[in-house]
Amino acid sequence: MRSDPAMLVRSEGEGVLVELTPPGAYTLLGVPLWELANLVVDVVDVLGPRAEQLVERLGETPGWRARLALLDNALAVRAEVGPRPAPQVVGAWHQLCRSDGHIPIAQLADEVGWTRRHLLTRLREQIGLTPKTVARVIRFQRALQLLQQPGIRPSVGGVAQVTGYSDQAHLTREFHALAGVTPARLTGA
């Protein structure tokens, strides 16, 4: 997860983008996710020589269907041996997502049976960010999703109200902080 803007530069060649949920990333990468939060890292730097071999095999494999099957298999094998996030962390993640980041952190801690401090520590380890920051990112993602609905041009102020921002200016400040641009620039409005 990220809580700051990132610039990805398009280059020549082909590639595969693998998007993971934070609990899935914890299992597949096998490292405390706070070490990777807000970074763009090469998979080889995290997973070592086996990842480098996989990248080479993907490049040598003809056809996207075969490449994706190879990747699916490699990810499934990795998922079998990787660490499992605590059920409370997975539950907290799902609660944060279901509430679009609006559940109070104290309530979240009560629901999973942990202290706020323990929840903060475990989410930071297994999700990458603190509960409050995760909620902030989820709220931002929901606002972005609403602004990008095909065929619908909702007002930024209306989206701010629906997603829990105090006003349009608050939403715009969050877009600057999390994406580096205004809502209009990011959504092409």
Side-chain angles (χ1 to χ4, degrees):
M1 290 198 73
R2 299 195 64 83
S3 63
D4 65 359
M7 170 99 45
L8 298 178
V9 179
R10 188 178 299 237
S11 64
E12 295 298 316
E14 297 177 329
V16 176
L17 173 67
V18 178
E19 293 188 69
L20 304 169
T21 64
Y26 179 71
T27 296
L28 287 172
L29 301 176
V31 298
L33 291 184
W34 61 264
E35 292 180 5
L36 303 176
N38 295 318
L39 297 176
V40 176
V41 295
D42 190 305
V43 69
V44 175
D45 293 337
V46 178
L47 299 179
R50 286 192 179 176
E52 191 168 18
Q53 293 166 356
L54 176 60
V55 169
E56 288 174 12
R57 287 182 57 207
L58 286 168
E60 295 165 355
T61 302
W64 282 105
R65 181 168 285 171
R67 287 180 195 137
L68 295 176
L70 174 64
L71 183 59
D72 282 347
N73 184 53
L75 293 176
V77 168
R78 182 81 183 173
E80 288 298 317
V81 299
R84 298 281 182 248
Q88 296 90 336
V89 169
V90 174
W93 168 253
H94 288 302
Q95 279 290 85
L96 284 162
C97 290
R98 272 194 299 274
S99 72
D100 289 329
H102 291 291
I103 186 169
I105 304 307
Q107 179 184 339
L108 186 60
D110 286 344
E111 287 185 14
V112 300
W114 285 346
T115 65
R116 288 177 62 171
R117 183 74 177 150
H118 191 66
L119 178 66
L120 181 147
T121 301
R122 296 299 295 273
L123 251 75
R124 190 167 173 264
E125 173 192 17
Q126 297 175 13
I127 301 294
L129 302 171
T130 65
K132 186 174 180 176
T133 305
V134 170
R136 181 178 172 217
V137 170
I138 290 171
R139 257 191 324 274
F140 164 79
Q141 290 173 335
R142 179 66 179 137
L144 179 60
Q145 180 184 41
L146 290 173
L147 288 168
Q148 290 180 323
Q149 288 181 29
I152 299 173
R153 287 283 182 201
S155 72
V156 175
V159 169
Q161 183 178 19
V162 168
T163 54
Y165 293 97
S166 57
D167 55 23
Q168 181 174 337
H170 182 201
L171 176 67
T172 300
R173 283 191 306 276
E174 283 293 273
F175 267 69
H176 271 289
L178 296 171
V181 295
T182 66
R185 179 111 187 257
L186 188 60
T187 61

